Amino acid sequence: MAVQQELDFDIDYGSPSATRGISVFSQEFDAHFAYMGDDLGAVYTPDGTSFRLWAPTASQARLVLYREGEGGDGEELPLERSYRGTWALHHTSDLRNRFYTYKVLVGEQWNEAVDPYAKALGINGDRGVIVDMAATNPQGWNKVKPPLDDSIDTIIYELHVRDMTSHPASGAVHKGKYLGLAQAGTCGPDGVATGLDHIASLGITHVQLLPIYDYSTLSVDERTPEERYNWGYDPKNYNAPEGSYAVDPYDPLSRIRELKQLIQAFHDRGIRVIMDVVYNHVYDGYRINFTKLVPGYYLRYTENGELADGSFCGNETASERQMMRKFIVDSILHWAQEYHIDGFRFDLMGLHDVETMQIIRQSLDRLDPSILMLGEGWAMECELPPQDRANQGNAPRLKRIGQFNDHLRNAVKGSPFFGPDSGFVGGAGYLGDEVRKGVAGAIYYNDQLYSYASEPDQTINYVECHDNYTLWDKLKLVAGRDEETVKAMHRLSTAIVMTSQGIPFLHAGQEFMRTKQGVENSYQSPDTINWMDWSRAAKRWDDVEFVRQLIKLRREHPAFRMKTAADIRSHLRFEAAPEQSVAYTLRDYAGGDTSRHLYILYHACPGDSCLTLPELGQWQLRFGGEHVHSLTGNRLHVYGIAMVVLEVL
Ligand code: CA
């Protein structure tokens, strides 16, 4: 490698001006060094382990083997320079369950780092582990996936592993752990089902797990997890699970086996599993393994040579660079293949480039086209040119990737960033058209009603997620102390989500009007704020039942799940409605429905309304009858804040 030998790397962390020869920041660098082999990391067999590390700017590299996950002296073995900036070693003894790191000499400095491709980890993710993945499979581990006819049939339920069983009354043995949530038959106050059984009783199709990859020790120390809480949006090692949810975080196999047990438990209940992935930034731009191994390469920088901050987390990864892109794709495939993950939710997807997202979609399609992709496609400022950002504005080039519909969210409940701001359910009738756009699945419906999606599977409809106030806390700020009104507004909000075209998304606890006691962003609040309060679930069993009935309604009516924008345009008709209301029909067996016509009314007005229904046949009550005074011929008399659904059979 003549070019390589001529290089004289002298790299300051993060300063593009400090390189000579081929700069790590140049496209030329990728042209010379991007390595597309599939053997990066430690490939184990009982007869030997092959190591390959990509570190083009290193002048020497070593493998360090340890007996423990922390402390002790390592045995250092030189890696040999190989092609395209890689370093390799084949070790002929059985290294199963040995801990390891790499050391690289960059300029004058030796850096020790965990292999970014490490599949297993020691305590706090400070060392990798050479692992026989087959030995991590729990009993009953199988590849059978719960059925899913079409992505549009998806109903997502977002949860944090620890929250689900951390409450003292959760009934789980391993509270806050993977195994706590994998436990069947747990009960809470008044015998209410908790954890896994509760989720399975709702009728959702997918759970979405907040970060389960290894995240920063500063957020949660795996040695003392009870001392701190965190959502986990600060990735440390991407390809192995977080240890604080494991029964024994010191045992490298514990976290892997127990997460697999959890995934299998969901699959056995007919529920698919989406993983929240955070490739857009790292926990610390300077201390992350990527930076120790190839300083400057994996992150984006401003023109002034400072770390770019599009993520507001102090650093932003460079998905458009060949080896970062390859890492993301390889990592996704690792989770999909090894853990049978059924979907990926991309944090701040708008910071990734369009091409990377397209490559991930194609790679997953080769494996299993039913694997979902969704992400936060916010229009955010970053170093990428606007046409390259994987956001709502570029949705036409992001086919079969869902994007969270913040427009519908804000229209329904009001701004999440300004507590008292009222939305449609709070009486802001002028937001009717914004609600209609969401009802139509954010597609082009007509010149007045168009949001961003080309097809309905590109929109994720929601009014509550882990971010910001819970819907209950937000609506309390809108409506004040009148809990009955807050409850009615809350129910209507969820009803809009569950009947709109597109993919609906619920936040865990939304079904019992979860409160975080007014804490706006609880990412590091204690368990007492974040846990699923099963006493509240027991008290609000009728609200839980309401959400169950909504989910059932959606599952029984394909009219709410039309597969194409063309179908929506031809079967969905907006109808005349009083102020503070939206009404529409889904006509002529929409989506292959068994009902000929459906009529849906979102009535956000606390008083009475008398409506004239379209003359399409004999209207009958389907949902929300407790808010109907009378239904006579084509006259409907309703009262109070609620959703009412009628049908013509
Ligand atoms: Ca960790």
Side-chain angles (χ1 to χ4, degrees):
M1 295 296 291
V3 174
Q4 200 166 338
Q5 281 154 13
E6 284 163 27
L7 291 180
D8 177 11
F9 287 97
D10 174 19
I11 300 168
D12 277 339
Y13 282 65
S15 166
S17 60
T19 57
R20 294 193 295 275
I22 298 176
S23 162
V24 292
F25 304 98
S26 68
Q27 290 199 345
E28 223 183 337
F29 192 81
D30 270 348
H32 281 287
F33 298 119
Y35 173 77
M36 290 298 129
D38 60 2
D39 59 348
L40 289 171
V43 181
Y44 168 85
T45 71
D47 300 328
T49 299
S50 295
F51 298 86
R52 187 175 294 277
L53 165 70
W54 186 72
T57 60
S59 55
Q60 290 184 56
R62 293 175 190 162
L63 169 72
V64 192
L65 293 171
Y66 293 94
R67 294 277 168 197
E68 299 293 338
E70 58 183 351
D73 293 328
E75 175 195 352
E76 299 195 9
L77 300 164
L79 290 162
E80 279 190 26
R81 193 189 286 276
S82 182
Y83 40 92
R84 295 191 75 84
T86 64
W87 300 80
L89 171 70
H90 183 75
H91 197 294
T92 53
S93 50
D94 187 345
L95 294 179
R96 180 164 142 146
N97 297 341
R98 290 286 298 275
F99 298 83
Y100 78 109
T101 61
Y102 292 125
K103 275 188 180 174
V104 290
L105 181 62
V106 182
E108 302 292 307
Q109 189 177 324
W110 278 99
N111 293 330
E112 184 169 8
V114 179
D115 184 354
Y117 276 81
K119 299 189 191 83
L121 300 168
I123 187 76
N124 279 326
D126 289 331
R127 286 173 189 168
V129 178
I130 299 150
V131 67
D132 175 8
M133 288 306 289
T136 66
N137 294 341
Q139 250 189 341
W141 184 239
N142 68 71
K143 283 190 174 178
V144 180
K145 295 206 169 210
L148 182 72
D149 289 342
D150 192 282
S151 61
I152 208 71
D153 298 336
T154 300
I155 302 170
I156 300 171
Y157 184 84
E158 184 198 38
L159 65 91
H160 186 280
V161 168
R162 177 160 161 173
D163 293 355
M164 293 307 293
T165 60
S166 54
H167 191 275
S170 72
V173 175
H174 298 290
K175 290 186 174 58
K177 308 292 182 188
Y178 299 119
L179 289 187
L181 185 50
Q183 188 180 344
T186 57
C187 292
D190 302 336
V192 69
T194 62
L196 178 66
D197 281 12
H198 169 79
I199 296 167
S201 79
L202 295 173
I204 53 97
T205 64
H206 289 63
V207 288
Q208 178 176 305
L209 308 180
L210 265 77
I212 48 162
Y213 54 74
D214 176 44
Y215 58 78
S216 169
T217 310
L218 297 174
S219 293
V220 176
D221 188 329
E222 294 174 3
R223 294 168 299 192
T224 52
E226 62 288 347
E227 285 180 6
R228 272 197 224 117
Y229 173 95
N230 209 280
W231 286 343
Y233 289 91
D234 43 6
K236 184 166 173 179
N237 293 282
Y238 281 105
N239 288 348
E242 164 62 16
S244 64
Y245 308 135
V247 170
D248 181 2
Y250 291 90
D251 171 2
L253 302 194
S254 171
R255 63 182 76 191
I256 299 174
R257 188 180 294 124
E258 291 159 22
L259 174 57
K260 285 181 170 179
Q261 271 177 265
L262 174 58
I263 292 164
Q264 189 65 49
F266 279 123
H267 282 181
D268 289 346
R269 297 295 185 100
I271 297 168
R272 291 183 170 225
V273 179
I274 298 169
M275 175 179 176
D276 195 335
V277 287
V278 186
Y279 296 107
N280 68 78
H281 70 273
V282 292
Y283 85 96
D284 183 310
Y286 297 103
R287 279 182 278 186
I288 192 79
N289 298 311
F290 286 138
T291 298
K292 290 175 182 167
L293 292 166
V294 193
Y297 178 80
Y298 290 97
L299 305 177
R300 288 189 190 132
Y301 296 82
T302 64
E303 278 180 7
N304 302 328
E306 290 162 359
L307 283 168
D309 193 19
S311 65
F312 301 105
C313 296
N315 54 75
E316 181 187 320
T317 57
S319 61
E320 69 282 10
R321 310 213 67 189
Q322 292 296 317
M323 293 304 284
M324 188 68 218
R325 175 180 288 162
K326 174 180 164 56
F327 180 81
I328 295 173
V329 174
D330 288 348
S331 177
I332 291 281
L333 289 175
H334 173 63
W335 287 102
Q337 290 172 305
E338 185 62 41
Y339 290 84
H340 307 163
I341 293 286
D342 310 290
F344 295 91
R345 177 266 189 199
F346 292 82
D347 190 64
L348 304 184
M349 185 172 75
L351 296 182
H352 294 319
D353 66 296
V354 168
E355 191 179 344
T356 296
M357 300 312 296
Q358 289 170 336
I359 291 171
I360 296 170
R361 184 66 271 176
Q362 290 155 11
S363 306
L364 288 174
D365 282 347
R366 282 193 284 275
L367 191 64
D368 173 2
S370 77
I371 296 176
L372 284 186
M373 287 174 66
L374 60 151
E376 292 182 306
W378 317 137
M380 301 174 73
E381 278 311 309
C382 72
E383 295 302 306
L384 278 180
Q387 70 273 15
D388 291 345
R389 299 173 191 167
N391 64 22
Q392 290 176 3
N394 292 315
R397 286 187 289 139
L398 295 162
K399 296 274 164 62
R400 295 176 49 244
I401 300 176
Q403 301 203 38
F404 286 92
N405 190 343
D406 53 331
H407 314 285
L408 179 65
R409 176 196 70 191
N410 297 356
V412 170
K413 70 175 181 181
S415 166
F417 309 112
F418 180 57
D421 184 58
S422 184
F424 173 78
V425 299
Y430 68 93
L431 290 167
D433 268 356
E434 287 302 309
V435 173
R436 288 181 187 93
K437 288 180 194 174
V439 165
I443 58 146
Y444 175 86
Y445 180 77
N446 61 32
D447 286 347
Q448 279 73 50
L449 302 179
Y450 173 53
S451 198
Y452 58 86
S454 306
E455 294 294 343
D457 65 358
Q458 287 180 296
T459 184
I460 307 293
N461 298 324
Y462 73 119
V463 287
E464 174 175 333
C465 69
H466 64 275
D467 281 320
N468 310 121
Y469 295 114
T470 67
L471 182 59
W472 176 263
D473 291 348
K474 159 73 189 174
L475 294 176
K476 286 269 276 190
L477 295 173
V478 173
R481 290 171 176 274
D482 176 10
E483 293 215 345
E484 280 308 304
T485 302
V486 173
K487 175 172 158 161
M489 287 162 49
H490 195 292
R491 285 188 172 198
L492 177 57
S493 301
T494 304
I496 293 171
V497 166
M498 294 308 301
T499 46
S500 290
Q501 304 294 322
I503 295 174
F505 173 107
L506 301 170
H507 182 226
Q510 189 175 332
E511 67 277 18
F512 57 75
M513 310 205 167
R514 183 174 182 174
T515 173
K516 292 181 184 172
Q517 317 302 334
V519 174
E520 192 174 356
N521 270 305
S522 64
Y523 72 100
Q524 58 180 4
S525 298
D527 285 314
T528 49
I529 296 296
N530 280 296
W531 63 32
M532 289 281 277
D533 179 351
W534 298 107
S535 313
R536 188 173 173 90
K539 281 189 205 110
R540 292 191 166 269
W541 63 270
D542 62 324
D543 293 318
V544 177
E545 187 54 28
F546 174 80
V547 171
R548 252 183 225 125
Q549 291 304 319
L550 276 179
I551 291 170
K552 191 160 173 274
L553 178 75
R554 184 176 185 87
R555 293 186 70 144
E556 288 176 356
H557 286 284
F560 296 119
R561 299 178 268 123
M562 282 188 269
K563 293 186 173 78
T564 68
D567 278 351
I568 294 170
R569 282 189 289 269
S570 59
H571 292 278
L572 167 65
R573 189 82 59 84
F574 288 102
E575 307 290 347
E579 250 190 287
Q580 301 179 14
S581 300
V582 164
Y584 60 99
T585 46
L586 301 170
R587 299 184 175 201
D588 302 315
Y589 305 107
D593 211 287
T594 51
S595 301
R596 181 170 192 136
H597 308 297
L598 291 168
Y599 173 89
I600 297 95
L601 171 68
Y602 305 141
H603 192 250
C605 161
D608 284 39
S609 297
C610 288
L611 295 99
T612 304
L613 303 169
E615 295 194 20
L616 295 171
Q618 183 66 46
W619 289 110
Q620 302 175 26
L621 285 171
R622 178 66 182 87
F623 192 94
E626 64 277 19
H627 286 270
V628 175
H629 267 310
S630 62
L631 169 62
T632 317
N634 292 332
R635 296 292 291 164
L636 173 68
H637 183 182
V638 298
Y639 65 97
I641 299 168
M643 177 179 80
V644 172
V645 178
L646 311 177
E647 66 184 337
V648 173
L649 289 171

